Amino acid sequence: MSSAESLAPGGRHAAADREPPNVWLLVATWLVLSLAACLVIWFVWYPHLPPGDMTTSAHHQQFDIAVLAVTAAPVVLGVWLYFAYALVFFRARAGDDRDGAPIYGNTKVQATWIIGTSMIVLWLFAFGTVELIVPAGAGAGEGASPIWKQSGATTAVWTPGTNDILQVQVIGQQWTWSYRYPQFGGMASAVLDLPVNTPITFHVTSLDVIHSFWPYYLGVKADANPQVDNVAYTTAKQTGSFIVRCNELCGIWHGAMTSNGTVMSQVAFKAWATGVLVKEKANGTLAALPPFALTYDPTVIPQLGKDLVNVVGVTGAPGYFYGPGNPVTP
Ligand SMILES: [Cu+2]
């Protein structure tokens, strides 16, 4: 058939030129594949999605990612399917250099597009807002004035078996992390040990440049800024070890700025923290540290620059604290 013969009246190509198959077949295929993808995501992939299920905040983030994946899957499949459909049925054959049929608008397509995209955006807005604001939601705090408060008692001493909130100060400096426990005399540790099933409040700060505290298994990330006390909440649900990384480019050894942590039983944690406190009292480390405060001004810490804070292997909490006189060797 020559190209001239296929022209319909008015110069438009005859629909029979390359008649697409029933569009409802496309819709039905999309529905079946979308349903299958959503079921696989929810029942197979969900338990393996990052950041895992180690804490309440990680648990909620995993839930959010699964919901967003289920929301996105039909959209992605729709784009892919229509792309394949268009490639097969709307493709110009060799030697066919005619223009495509002019299009003057299609109310059904336009209405479906506007309604569909509006519903998706409104759903994401509502879901995201609820998950961010509702207590124990995906927002773990992560600010100087968090938008929700953690339930639990704020106490001067932390006791296992109660609902006491454990306070942990996270201190970033080039290029290491250290942790202080104000409910245990302000003792300092280079490892982040935590009790299970306990509400935890992190107070995150820095001694020099901007860092970011990121124990990703815990589902917590908070900027560590000098002179700022950034708060983040979580409650560990499982025991186990985890890694802390810096997530803000902070200098040449940024990539090596890691430390380790362990979630342990409440009794084991109490024994560890008390043991570190006793050792640091005995060997003078505690007296050498600045008094506990929510932030520290490095220019007025008298201990800075004095080589008295290398406590490797002595306290049970090896590491370097506040001491540029002890350069950290990654
Ligand atoms: Cu850093």
Side-chain angles (χ1 to χ4, degrees), residues 305-329:
K306 296 179 182 170
D307 288 348
L308 45 67
V309 286
N310 183 349
V311 289
V312 172
V314 175
T315 64
Y320 298 84
F321 308 105
Y322 306 98
N326 291 306
V328 176
T329 309

Side-chain angles (χ1 to χ4, degrees), residues 175 177 210-212 246 248 250 254 257:
W175 288 275
W177 296 105
I210 296 172
H211 304 272
S212 179
C246 182
E248 182 72 49
C250 59
H254 159 71
M257 189 170 162

Side-chain angles (χ1 to χ4, degrees), residues 54-57 150 195-200 233-238:
M54 199 171 182
T55 64
T56 48
S57 43
Q150 203 173 28
V196 74
N197 295 324
T198 300
I200 297 163
Y233 307 130
T234 198
T235 301
K237 299 165 60 194
Q238 302 163 15

Side-chain angles (χ1 to χ4, degrees), residues 43-66:
F43 290 106
V44 180
W45 201 13
Y46 179 1
H48 306 287
L49 284 171
D53 193 33
M54 199 171 182
T55 64
T56 48
S57 43
H59 174 80
H60 279 274
Q61 287 163 27
Q62 194 180 43
F63 169 74
D64 292 347
I65 292 170

Side-chain angles (χ1 to χ4, degrees), residues 80-100:
W80 285 356
L81 268 179
Y82 187 76
F83 185 57
Y85 180 89
L87 269 182
V88 171
F89 294 106
F90 300 147
R91 186 154 50 104
R93 298 296 191 266
D96 182 357
D97 55 358
R98 295 165 300 164
D99 288 338

Side-chain angles (χ1 to χ4, degrees), residues 12-245:
R12 299 178 62 177
H13 298 146
D17 197 8
R18 283 192 291 278
E19 181 69 56
N22 190 341
V23 76
W24 291 110
L25 186 63
L26 183 68
V27 173
T29 311
W30 171 71
L31 280 174
V32 170
L33 287 180
S34 295
L35 183 65
C38 290
L39 289 174
V40 167
I41 288 170
W42 196 259
F43 290 106
V44 180
W45 201 13
Y46 179 1
H48 306 287
L49 284 171
D53 193 33
M54 199 171 182
T55 64
T56 48
S57 43
H59 174 80
H60 279 274
Q61 287 163 27
Q62 194 180 43
F63 169 74
D64 292 347
I65 292 170
V67 169
L68 293 183
V70 163
T71 304
V75 177
V76 172
L77 281 171
V79 171
W80 285 356
L81 268 179
Y82 187 76
F83 185 57
Y85 180 89
L87 269 182
V88 171
F89 294 106
F90 300 147
R91 186 154 50 104
R93 298 296 191 266
D96 182 357
D97 55 358
R98 295 165 300 164
D99 288 338
I103 295 172
Y104 299 104
N106 183 316
T107 312
K108 254 191 215 168
V109 169
Q110 287 165 326
T112 307
W113 176 262
I114 289 170
I115 292 170
T117 50
S118 300
M119 279 170 53
I120 292 172
V121 168
L122 286 174
W123 153 246
L124 292 177
F125 164 74
F127 178 73
T129 305
V130 169
E131 284 296 289
L132 189 66
I133 293 176
V134 170
E142 285 124 354
S145 44
I147 55 177
W148 57 276
K149 293 286 176 227
Q150 203 173 28
S151 62
T154 304
T155 55
V157 174
W158 180 85
T159 310
T162 64
N163 199 29
D164 291 354
I165 299 173
L166 180 76
Q167 310 286 335
V168 182
Q169 181 173 57
V170 178
I171 302 164
Q173 66 185 109
Q174 288 171 321
W175 288 275
T176 191
W177 296 105
S178 55
Y179 310 95
R180 295 190 74 172
Y181 294 76
Q183 289 148 313
F184 290 88
M187 65 87 169
S189 168
V191 292
L192 177 55
D193 283 358
L194 301 170
V196 74
N197 295 324
T198 300
I200 297 163
T201 297
F202 293 111
H203 294 273
V204 185
T205 190
S206 165
L207 294 184
D208 40 43
V209 301
I210 296 172
H211 304 272
S212 179
F213 170 60
W214 192 31
Y216 42 96
Y217 293 167
L218 305 188
V220 172
K221 189 160 80 173
D223 284 349
N225 299 346
Q227 303 303 304
V228 175
D229 169 34
N230 269 339
V231 173
Y233 307 130
T234 198
T235 301
K237 299 165 60 194
Q238 302 163 15
T239 57
S241 56
F242 59 89
I243 300 167
V244 180
R245 289 188 182 280

